[in-house]
């Protein structure tokens, strides 16, 4: 298939950036979207031009590195699918495709489609852990966890930290990302002890890192490649209210 | 030279505890004076950096991704082994040890593997305490599944994302230490060189991948936890950025490279579809618990799978290995798949595929149970192939996956350069010539949480903290060397892209140094790799500049190293004139096609010493001594 691409090119943080047009030919439906970009890049390099810089690593939807807005949708048109898992069979011959970076106040563009997401790491550093040292812990079967709780924890823990939820949110909020971690740990006895402290610290860090607050648009859930549910945001809110109660 | 693995004496089960008592300790008040560099934030690196930080050391942690959480350990699917014997099915530390030694085709060190089996149980406890959401049964206890090469259920898992959950556990411990100020993270930073001062590892030189700046860091010890090198085959299940650069450049600074020819080709990956292919995706081996592997009995049978009646299907693993069946170890299953495809029974485009069929399991357990166990893998399969594996069998084919070889380390995980420690997949230590499923996660975390904190302490206790600084001439020379080599790469301005060279190298490696190796094929590889390397240095084209984010330049540096390393791998494969585990020399097989070891000549580790560019490396041997297991012919029949 033949395609017309408009790709965001930006030399660096201080460059204004613009969309550039590329004509792409002979793309096959079984290519992945990133393999299509590889073909474009090989062509650019041969023509003596700079290839399009984009983030990617595992190319199997788990590391959370890939990050592109395709035709206005973070991670593109397919539900629960990261860019790297998107295949060209989702497009048609003659399509025009717009490719842009994540856009959010907390994610400055580094170059072309690459942004700086270290703010997400800083939210994690504020409290996204159980404060346990290596060694001296009880036998793993000494603490029973109901299957339902373990499953809920796992549903939340599947977040790959890609930041698509932020890019999709009109407020640039990292609420879904933060809520996923809060809910994962709050569902488990190991994480309960620090639950109140954690939810306060992580929410505060989120705002401090330049993310907006949540006003229930649910765009985040729609684009999340792991299908993290927005009900975890409600869970975060409950944990937050609980943490404000006397005695906490 | 005969290498000494420094295994403690005494009975197998007591070696580690005895060694722990004998090791030197660093005074708690002095720990913060020691600086430790940890390169890599996968299971090995993150667990090591977090634990060393907790102990009070000053840790600098590096990774090439934009976040520590994205190391390729994140992609591990199936599970992690431990000898808990929760299912009461006859497991024990000794059995896990024995299975691992046998699985490795008797080419690993007894003492290391026994220690690994011992600490495996602590790993599960530690991870559960961190909040890793392992699978549970309805009573709330941990669930187990079986994996290849074992007849007990000892694999712990978190859906099909075990690596992700374990890594996020380690990453959260790491994040806690970052907040505590004991660990400093350096993401998007690539290690380009090891700095050795007075014969000891004292720092690294790195490139900031955003600004292009080359700089160096000094420390009292360096840990390399940089993962495996199977991207030397171009197509593999590794991440796009996985590389040999860190370990290979340490090799060039004097660290011995052990058993580079031991590479694992994983039997269950999604087959290649065309030339555009950039990587291969693994379908976890755990699928073989419920999936049955088969091919049509009739050669070239092009009927859709559901039109092929039961009696015209060859369940070749069940036929050849009745006691292990579909759970035969990886090397054996991969070779069996290649054989049936070579004979013309393969399915799918190009006939390079076999079926992995869940029909029976779905009839027996119901689709929901299968979805619960492997849902994410079936989804992943569907995304890539556009096929629904609940309704038709998966098509799979072997792909390069794991490197058992790596930098040589002694029992303390210390390389041949004092002060340089190597952990996780980057070292050669525990898996011999073939790794069993669910044992790499175990090894990475064992190394990082439970071994290095002891052994590095013993080394540091004997050194003066802060003995060198980046002002030392060795550091300045290292930075200049890296800058010069980057400028040289950029000045070539040839006509072929880095990917073209990588693809060609991969083709040579896969065809001639892949699943079946012969002295002829290896000689061919040894002729063609240097030619390709020469062409690379004359004709590669790298756009852009050095002082910028330049992904082609990053790749070029890695491919340049693969072009040298591939030759070392082939050389090692040629010299190891026997078949063992993943290293299969067609000249050495049993009448039934199984690998034939030569214990008389090759019961050793082969560790290579770099002798200078253009000069032959020198081979050193470490004899493997088996006191507790009997060197038997490995049989899974
Ligand atoms: C798809 C897949 C599935 C797997 N499934 C399983 C499984 O179910 N069970 C099991 O036991 N094992 C499994 N394995 C194997 C296992 O995941 C790996 O062997 C293990 O995770 C490696 O961990 P590591 O910490 O050694 O390296 P990695 O996790 O690969 O980490 C390497 C680190 O080093 C850094 N790095 C590398 N080079 C440089 C450099 N030059 N400069 C700076 N930093 C650098 C990277 O940024 C990264 O942080 C699987 C492997 C794959 C690929
Ligand atoms: S919640 Fe979903 S979209 Fe947001 S970071 Fe996690 S995986 Fe990505
Ligand atoms: S590249 Fe890893 S999730 Fe897309």
């Amino acid at each position: 298939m033949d395609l017309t691409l408009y790709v965001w090119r930006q030399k660096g943080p201080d460059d204004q950036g613009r969309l550039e047009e590329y004509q792409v030919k002979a793309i096959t439906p079984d290519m992945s979207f990133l393999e299509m970009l590889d073909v474009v890049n090989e062509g650019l390099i041969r023509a003596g031009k700079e290839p399009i810089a984009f983030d990617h690593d595992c190319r199997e939807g788990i590391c959370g590195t890939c990050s592109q807005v395709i035709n206005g949708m973070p991670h593109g048109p397919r539900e629960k699918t990261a860019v790297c898992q998107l295949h060209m069979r989702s497009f048609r011959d003659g399509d025009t495709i717009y490719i842009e970076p994540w856009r959010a106040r907390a994610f400055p563009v580094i170059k072309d489609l690459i942004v700086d997401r270290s703010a997400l790491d800083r939210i994690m550093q504020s409290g996204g852990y159980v404060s346990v040292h290596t060694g001296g812990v009880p036998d793993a079967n000494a603490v029973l966890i109901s299957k339902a709780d373990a499953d809920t924890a796992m549903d939340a823990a599947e977040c790959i930290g890609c930041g698509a939820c932020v890019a999709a949110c009109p407020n640039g909020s990292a609420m879904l990302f933060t809520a996923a971690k809060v809910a994962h740990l709050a569902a488990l006895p190991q994480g309960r002890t620090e639950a109140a402290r954690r939810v306060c610290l992580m929410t505060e860090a989120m705002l401090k890192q330049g993310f907006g607050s949540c006003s229930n648009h649910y765009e985040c859930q729609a684009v999340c490649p792991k299908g993290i549910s927005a009900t975890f945001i409600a869970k975060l809110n409950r944990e937050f209210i609980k943490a404000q109660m006397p005695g906490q | 030279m005969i290498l000494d693995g420094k295994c403690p004496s005494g009975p197998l089960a007591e070696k580690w505890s005895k060694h722990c008592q004998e090791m030197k300790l660093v005074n708690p008040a002095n720990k913060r004076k020691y600086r430790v560099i940890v390169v890599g934030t996968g299971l090995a690196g993150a667990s090591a950096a977090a634990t060393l930080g907790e102990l009070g050391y000053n840790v600098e942690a590096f990774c090439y991704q934009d976040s520590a959480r994205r190391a390729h350990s994140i992609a591990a699917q199936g599970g992690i082994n431990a000898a808990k014997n929760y299912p009461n099915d006859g497991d024990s530390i000794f059995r896990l040890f024995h299975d691992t030694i046998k699985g490795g085709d008797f080419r690993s060190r007894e003492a290391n593997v026994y220690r690994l089996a011992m600490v495996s149980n602590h790993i599960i406890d530690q991870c559960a305490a961190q909040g890793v959401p392992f699978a549970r049964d309805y009573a709330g206890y941990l669930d187990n599944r079986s994996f290849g090469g074992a007849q007990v259920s000892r694999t712990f898992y978190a859906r099909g994302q075990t690596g992700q959950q374990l890594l996020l556990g380690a990453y959260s411990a790491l994040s806690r230490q970052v907040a505590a100020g004991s660990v400093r993270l350096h993401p998007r930073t690539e290690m380009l060189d090891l700095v050795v001062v007075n014969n000891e590892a004292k720092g690294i030189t790195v490139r900031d991948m955003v600004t292009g700046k080359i700089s160096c860091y000094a420390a009292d010890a360096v840990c390399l936890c940089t993962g495996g090198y199977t991207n030397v085959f171009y197509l593999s299940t590794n991440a796009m950025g996985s590389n040999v650069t860190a370990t290979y450049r340490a090799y060039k600074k004097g660290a011995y490279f052990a058993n580079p020819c031991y590479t694992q080709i994983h039997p269950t990956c999604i087959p290649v579809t065309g030339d555009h292919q950039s990587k291969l995706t693994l379908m976890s081996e755990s699928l073989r618990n419920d999936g049955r592997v088969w091919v049509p009995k009739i050669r070239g049978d092009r009927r859709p799978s559901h039109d092929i009646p039961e009696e015209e299907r060859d369940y070749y693993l069940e036929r050849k290995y009745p006691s292990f069946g579909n759970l035969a170890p990886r090397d054996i299953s991969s070779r069996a798949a290649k054989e049936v495809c070579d004979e013309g029974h393969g399915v799918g485009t190009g006939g390079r595929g076999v079926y992995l069929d869940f029909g029976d399991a779905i009839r027996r357990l119901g689709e929901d149970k299968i979805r619960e166990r492997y849902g994410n893998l079936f989804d992943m399969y569907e995304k890539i192939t556009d096929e629904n594996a609940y309704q038709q069998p998966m098509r799979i084919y072997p792909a390069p996956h794991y490197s058992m070889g790596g930098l040589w380390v002694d029992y303390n995980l210390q390389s041949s350069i004092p002060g340089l420690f190597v952990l996780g997949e980057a070292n050669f230590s525990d898996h011999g010539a073939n790794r069993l499923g669910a044992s790499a996660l175990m090894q990475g975390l064992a190394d990082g949480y439970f071994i290095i904190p002891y052994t590095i302490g013993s080394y540091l206790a004997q050194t003066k903290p802060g003995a060198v600084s980046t002002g030392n001439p060795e550091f300045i020379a290292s930075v200049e060397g890296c800058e010069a080599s980057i400028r040289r790469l950029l000045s070539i301005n040839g006509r072929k892209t880095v990917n073209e060279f990588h693809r060609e190298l991969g083709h040579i490696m896969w065809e001639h140094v892949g699943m079946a190796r012969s002295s002829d094929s290896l000689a061919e590889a040894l002729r063609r790799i240097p030619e390709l390397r020469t062409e690379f240095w004359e004709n590669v084209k790298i756009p852009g500049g050095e002082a910028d984010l330049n992904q082609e330049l990053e790749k070029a540096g890695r491919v340049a190293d693969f072009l040298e390393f591939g030759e070392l791998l082939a050389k090692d494969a040629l010299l190891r004139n026997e078949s063992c585990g993943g290293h299969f020399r067609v000249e050495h097989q049993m009448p039934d096609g199984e690998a034939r070891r030569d214990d008389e000549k090759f019961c050793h580790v082969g560790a290579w010493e770099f002798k200078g560019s253009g000069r032959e490396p020198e081979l050193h041997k470490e004899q493997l001594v088996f006191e507790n297991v009997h060197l038997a012919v490995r049989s899974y029949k």
Side-chain angles (χ1 to χ4, degrees):
Chain A
M1 49 212 244
D2 298 346
L3 305 161
T4 304
L5 305 185
Y6 288 93
V7 184
W8 186 259
R9 302 302 307 261
Q10 181 173 341
K11 283 191 173 21
D14 301 329
D15 182 24
Q16 265 218 310
R18 77 239 144 254
L19 284 168
E20 274 187 23
E21 183 188 321
Y22 301 95
Q23 295 299 328
V24 199
K25 298 209 180 327
I27 296 299
T28 57
D30 57 8
M31 280 186 186
S32 75
F33 193 81
L34 298 187
E35 284 165 354
M36 182 274 293
L37 284 183
D38 290 343
V39 170
V40 176
N41 274 347
E42 294 277 291
L44 288 173
I45 297 166
R46 279 198 204 92
K49 299 199 180 109
E50 268 213 53
I52 303 158
F54 61 91
D55 260 334
H56 63 108
D57 201 30
C58 75
R59 293 206 176 185
E60 52 184 80
I62 192 73
C63 70
T65 309
C66 59
S67 42
Q68 300 175 18
V69 177
I70 299 168
N71 292 338
M73 285 281 278
H75 286 308
R78 267 198 75 163
E79 231 188 26
K80 292 200 210 167
T81 304
V83 187
C84 62
Q85 293 180 294
L86 185 63
H87 280 69
M88 295 314 291
R89 66 178 82 91
S90 296
F91 298 88
R92 273 192 305 274
D93 187 32
D95 272 0
T96 297
I97 307 175
Y98 287 81
I99 310 174
E100 292 168 89
W102 280 179
R103 296 201 188 277
R105 191 157 70 95
F107 292 164
V109 173
I110 296 175
K111 183 174 181 177
D112 295 345
L113 304 172
I114 297 183
V115 300
D116 178 352
R117 286 173 288 191
S118 52
L120 294 180
D121 287 315
R122 289 189 288 275
I123 296 181
M124 281 292 292
Q125 287 153 16
S126 72
Y129 41 76
V130 174
S131 298
V132 56
H133 268 54
T134 303
V137 300
D139 184 273
N141 259 349
V143 183
L144 298 187
I145 300 173
S146 78
K147 187 164 181 333
D149 285 345
D151 284 347
T152 306
M154 183 65 201
D155 287 343
E158 285 195 26
C159 163
I160 58 174
C162 62
C165 46
V166 179
C169 177
N171 308 332
S173 173
M175 198 60 154
L176 192 61
F177 168 84
T178 310
K181 189 46 64 186
V182 165
H184 156 210
L185 294 176
L188 300 171
Q190 290 87 351
R192 280 268 21 128
T193 321
E194 297 168 278
R197 199 175 118 81
R198 177 180 310 113
V199 68
C200 297
L201 288 172
M202 288 184 80
T203 318
E204 187 188 310
M206 182 184 91
L207 296 175
K208 209 171 102 195
Q209 290 301 326
F211 295 99
S213 30
C214 172
S215 48
N216 302 323
H217 289 268
Y218 299 135
E219 297 290 339
C220 49
Q221 171 179 282
V223 300
C224 174
K226 291 293 138 181
I228 304 292
S229 160
T231 55
F232 290 124
I233 296 181
K235 172 83 182 162
L236 178 144
N237 287 331
R238 274 203 306 281
E239 289 291 330
F240 192 79
I241 293 166
K242 258 201 275 179
Q244 312 301 316
M245 301 218 285
Q248 283 290 333
Chain B
M1 187 169 83
I2 302 293
L3 287 167
D4 179 6
K6 301 213 177 90
C7 298
S9 58
L12 189 60
E14 287 159 34
K15 284 182 196 283
W16 177 234
S17 46
K18 174 171 165 265
H19 191 57
C20 286
Q21 280 155 31
E22 287 167 3
M23 277 187 286
K24 305 217 163 29
L25 296 172
V26 178
N27 177 330
N30 284 340
K31 283 194 178 127
R32 65 182 171 75
K33 296 183 191 150
Y34 288 95
R35 184 172 301 272
V36 179
I37 284 173
V38 178
V39 189
T41 58
L43 286 180
S47 58
T51 307
L52 294 173
E54 285 168 12
L55 288 171
Y57 296 109
N58 250 304
V59 181
E60 308 282 344
F62 297 81
C63 68
Y64 71 74
Q65 292 91 348
D66 71 322
S67 165
R69 66 180 289 153
R70 308 201 202 283
H72 199 51
S73 293
I74 202 91
Q77 304 168 348
I80 175 166
N81 283 338
K84 286 280 196 187
N85 194 29
Y86 286 157
N88 193 30
D89 57 356
D91 203 5
S92 64
I93 288 171
F94 190 85
R95 191 178 291 276
L96 173 54
F97 153 74
H98 192 272
D99 285 351
T100 309
I101 288 270
K102 175 183 168 194
D105 217 354
F106 305 93
R107 289 293 176 265
S108 43
R109 258 187 223 141
E110 278 191 344
N112 281 60
V113 177
Y114 195 87
R115 173 177 66 186
L116 175 64
M118 263 166 68
V119 303
S120 68
N121 290 341
H122 303 310
I123 295 172
I124 303 302
D125 300 341
Q126 187 64 39
C127 297
Q130 289 169 344
V132 169
F134 284 121
R136 305 240 162 202
D137 62 20
Y138 283 100
Y141 292 97
L142 289 159
D143 194 24
N144 288 113
R145 55 165 58 143
S146 359
F147 244 63
Q151 284 171 315
V152 294
S153 264
R154 61 160 74 100
T155 305
F156 294 79
Y157 65 102
R159 290 195 191 141
Q161 292 111 297
T162 316
Q164 180 198 26
Q165 294 310 313
L166 296 175
L167 182 61
L168 293 181
Y171 162 78
S172 64
L174 185 66
S175 299
R176 178 168 162 255
Q177 290 312 305
V178 173
S182 59
V183 177
R184 268 158 311 280
L185 281 177
H186 306 269
R188 290 202 200 270
T189 309
E190 181 157 23
M191 167 180 164
L192 297 182
D193 198 15
L194 177 77
V195 183
V196 179
V197 182
N198 297 329
N199 261 331
E200 301 202 40
K202 287 294 170 206
I204 60 171
T205 300
V206 299
R207 179 171 183 273
D208 179 322
M209 293 159 75
V210 175
T211 63
K213 186 171 181 316
I214 309 280
S215 61
C216 49
Y217 290 82
D220 300 294
V222 177
C223 299
L224 294 189
C225 318
T226 50
Y229 54 74
T230 33
N231 272 353
V232 69
F233 291 99
Y234 183 61
L235 289 182
S236 86
T237 63
N238 282 7
M240 300 303 286
S242 298
N243 63 84
V244 77
T245 292
T247 48
Y248 192 75
R249 297 196 186 176
Y251 160 75
K252 285 178 124 176
K253 281 296 179 73
Y256 296 174
F257 212 112
N259 303 334
C261 79
Y262 291 166
T263 49
Q264 178 165 79
I265 314 293
H266 195 293
T268 55
C269 303
I270 301 180
V272 176
T273 57
D275 290 340
H276 58 267
Q277 191 101 26
S278 59
K279 78 152 276 159
L280 294 171
T281 303
L282 178 79
M283 289 284 104
S284 166
E285 168 169 315
S286 61
L287 291 169
R288 289 199 276 146
N289 269 312
D290 288 307
R292 297 178 69 196
V293 176
W294 64 275
V295 289
K297 279 189 182 157
I298 305 170
R299 264 168 228 229
D301 194 336
R302 285 279 160 264
R303 284 175 292 175
S305 57
H306 54 81
D307 287 347
I308 301 179
E310 201 54 34
E311 59 281 4
E312 289 177 39
R313 301 174 173 193
D314 179 12
Y315 294 90
Y316 59 88
L317 285 178
E318 296 171 21
R319 172 169 59 79
K320 288 186 176 169
Y321 307 99
S323 66
F324 279 71
N326 294 298
L327 289 176
R330 292 178 177 173
D331 51 340
I332 289 179
S333 309
S334 289
R335 265 197 309 278
K338 179 178 189 298
E339 248 166 55
V340 290
C341 293
D342 286 349
E343 288 162 5
H345 298 279
V347 298
T349 18
R352 287 281 143 196
V354 301
Y355 288 127
L356 179 62
D357 196 337
F358 296 87
D360 283 349
I362 290 175
R363 275 186 291 279
R364 195 175 66 244
L365 303 165
E367 197 174 307
D368 285 348
K369 191 79 204 165
I370 297 299
R371 180 167 287 115
E372 185 190 318
R373 284 189 189 160
Y374 315 108
N376 75 313
L377 298 172
F378 278 57
D379 289 351
M380 204 158 161
Y381 183 78
E382 206 240 48
K383 277 176 190 152
I384 295 174
T385 62
D386 209 19
E387 289 172 7
N388 180 339
Y390 296 103
Q391 284 160 14
Q392 65 190 96
M394 287 183 178
R395 286 174 298 106
I396 52 164
Y397 197 67
H401 174 59
Y402 182 85
S403 39
M404 283 76 70
L407 289 182
W408 182 86
V409 290
D410 64 15
Y411 187 72
N412 296 312
L413 304 182
Q414 183 162 235
S415 72
S416 54
I417 304 176
L420 177 67
F421 295 80
V422 191
L423 285 64
E425 192 172 339
N427 74 24
F428 89 107
S429 73
D430 294 357
H431 307 294
N434 172 57
R435 177 176 71 78
L436 290 183
S439 58
L441 302 183
M442 169 172 75
Q443 184 224 329
L445 291 180
D447 290 359
Y449 284 134
F450 296 111
I451 299 170
I452 199 71
Y454 291 84
T455 59
I456 207 171
S458 189
Y459 166 78
L460 291 172
Q462 300 169 66
T463 62
K464 197 171 136 276
V468 301
S469 77
T470 51
N472 273 57
E474 286 84 354
F475 282 91
I476 295 164
S478 170
V479 168
E480 285 171 359
C482 293
E483 286 170 346
S485 126
I486 283 175
R487 274 197 294 272
R488 186 169 158 220
L489 278 171
L490 287 169
S491 69
I492 300 167
N493 200 15
R495 278 194 304 275
K496 266 164 75 170
T497 65
V498 178
N499 275 0
E500 283 176 274
F501 283 102
H502 197 177
R503 219 178 278 130
E504 269 179 58
L505 173 67
H507 185 76
I508 298 173
M509 297 303 292
W510 182 237
E511 288 303 319
H512 303 291
V513 201
M515 266 190 284
R517 304 161 171 173
S518 69
S519 60
D520 286 348
S521 77
L522 293 167
E524 174 72 7
L526 286 169
R527 190 180 60 74
R528 286 177 56 188
I529 299 168
E531 280 175 14
L532 187 63
R533 189 169 61 229
T534 308
E535 193 199 342
F536 174 88
W537 285 100
E538 286 163 358
N539 199 25
V540 72
K541 182 169 186 75
I542 306 162
E546 55 184 283
D548 191 6
L549 189 153
N550 186 339
Q551 294 178 313
E552 285 300 307
L553 179 61
E554 293 161 16
K555 275 196 279 186
R558 295 173 195 154
V559 171
D561 291 329
F562 279 133
L563 281 164
E564 291 183 23
F565 174 72
E567 188 179 356
L568 186 70
L569 198 165
K571 209 169 264 175
D572 190 48
L574 184 63
L575 224 72
R576 189 165 281 277
N577 201 3
E578 65 161 351
S579 292
C580 58
H583 169 63
F584 191 73
R585 287 284 301 266
V586 294
E587 302 95 327
H588 303 286
Q589 45 184 312
M590 308 284 195
D592 60 357
E594 301 296 327
R596 189 198 290 280
R597 289 198 323 261
D598 182 345
D599 291 334
E600 212 140 287
K601 292 210 194 81
F602 291 100
C603 196
H604 61 246
V605 177
W608 295 90
E609 181 186 0
F610 182 72
K611 287 288 188 183
S613 292
R615 293 180 53 195
E616 279 297 304
E618 185 183 343
L619 184 71
H620 301 287
K621 293 178 186 170
E622 178 195 339
Q623 214 54 43
L624 291 168
V625 185
F626 292 91
E627 293 168 338
N628 300 276
V629 298
H630 170 61
L631 269 168
V633 173
R634 202 168 63 129
S635 168
Y636 291 92
K637 292 209 180 250

